[in-house]
């Protein structure tokens, strides 16, 4: 069998099946085959590490499922720190034992990966909802209360509803379902990580739309955060209707 044919077989295999396939070629003395098998062993090891990481992110969901909860949602927010735009929160119910390759805290992911995961999450989710609290309400009730309000709206918008919620952070929103707070939950729970991706992507898309109305501020680049570019634009052009006045001082 040619080396290219062996490569095609390995390339076409599902990662979990690779050991069953490469064993057929381990006795091949050709240097090209040896290097090929070794490269796929390394690829398999990385796949196993990622599989273990993702399985570990199902621990919280599994713990509460064992207590009888059937629809467990993850909840997270995005946009607490920017000077402009809303705070967004997402709630997501994933299927039991759901594995989404590459899923992690949205802050650790590139925009390209977040966009891919966004579509995948929507395609598999049992239910999901994204809610917003705008800059005017943030100024009225403060950012902490706005974050909690957005989470409450996100959870209440789920159809079917959740019977348990995993919340990122240590501030408890008022929900119609029991919940658990998890510090750093967007890196520890698959459901919360999925919510973090939906909240981040949804808010970023909204800020990109605001850029069309206020192109001189660069919202499509910094998404409302207080970058040097953004601060210079505020000094030059003043605040827009979407700026948080209490954040500007």
């Amino acid at each position: 069998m040619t080396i290219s044919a062996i490569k095609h077989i390995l390339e076409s295999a599902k990662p979990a099946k690779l050991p069953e396939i490469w064993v057929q070629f381990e006795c091949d003395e050709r240097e090209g085959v040896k290097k090929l098998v070794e490269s796929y062993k390394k690829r398999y090891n990385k796949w196993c590490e990622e599989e273990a990481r993702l399985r570990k992110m199902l621990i919280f969901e599994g713990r509460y499922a064992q207590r009888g909860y059937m629809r467990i949602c993850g909840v997270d927010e995005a946009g607490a720190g920017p000077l402009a735009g809303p705070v967004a929160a997402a709630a997501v119910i994933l299927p039991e034992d759901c594995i989404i390759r590459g899923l992690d805290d949205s802050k650790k992911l590139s925009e390209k990966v977040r966009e891919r995961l966004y579509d995948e999450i929507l395609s598999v989710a049992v239910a999901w909802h994204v809610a917003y609290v705008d800059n005017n309400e943030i100024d009225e009730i403060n950012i902490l209360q706005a974050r909690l309000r957005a989470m409450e709206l996100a959870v209440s918008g789920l159809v079917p509803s959740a019977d348990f919620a995993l919340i990122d952070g240590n501030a408890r929103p008022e929900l119609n379902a029991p919940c658990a707070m998890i510090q750093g939950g967007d890196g520890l729970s698959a459901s919360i990580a999925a919510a973090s991706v939906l909240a981040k992507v949804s808010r970023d898309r909204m800020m990109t739309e605001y850029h069309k109305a206020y192109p001189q501020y660069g919202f499509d680049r910094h998404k409302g955060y207080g970058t040097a570019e953004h601060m210079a634009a505020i000094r030059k052009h003043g605040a827009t209707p979407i700026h948080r006045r209490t954040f500007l001082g």
Side-chain angles (χ1 to χ4, degrees), residues 6 10 16 36-37 43 69 71 84 93 127 133 143 158 177 197 209 217 244:
I6 294 172
L10 290 166
L36 190 61
V37 170
R43 184 177 299 190
Y69 296 106
R71 295 187 301 277
I93 302 174
V133 171
I143 187 59
L158 290 171
V197 170
E209 286 299 308
Y217 290 85
R244 304 172 185 180

Side-chain angles (χ1 to χ4, degrees), residues 72-83:
I72 299 168
C73 74
V75 187
D76 199 8
E77 51 80 21
L83 306 179

Side-chain angles (χ1 to χ4, degrees), residues 2 38 43-44 50 59 107 122 128 142 167 178 181 230:
T2 64
E38 186 61 29
R43 184 177 299 190
Y44 175 73
E50 175 68 356
I59 288 176
K107 296 185 292 296
L122 297 195
W128 64 276
N142 77 48
I167 313 290
M181 316 304 298
H230 190 186

Side-chain angles (χ1 to χ4, degrees), residues 35 43 45 47-48 79 86 119 128 140 146-147 149 173 204 215 217:
K35 289 182 179 179
R43 184 177 299 190
N45 288 337
W47 180 85
C48 288
D119 292 336
W128 64 276
E140 289 175 7
R147 288 172 55 208
R149 177 60 177 155
D204 282 358
Y217 290 85

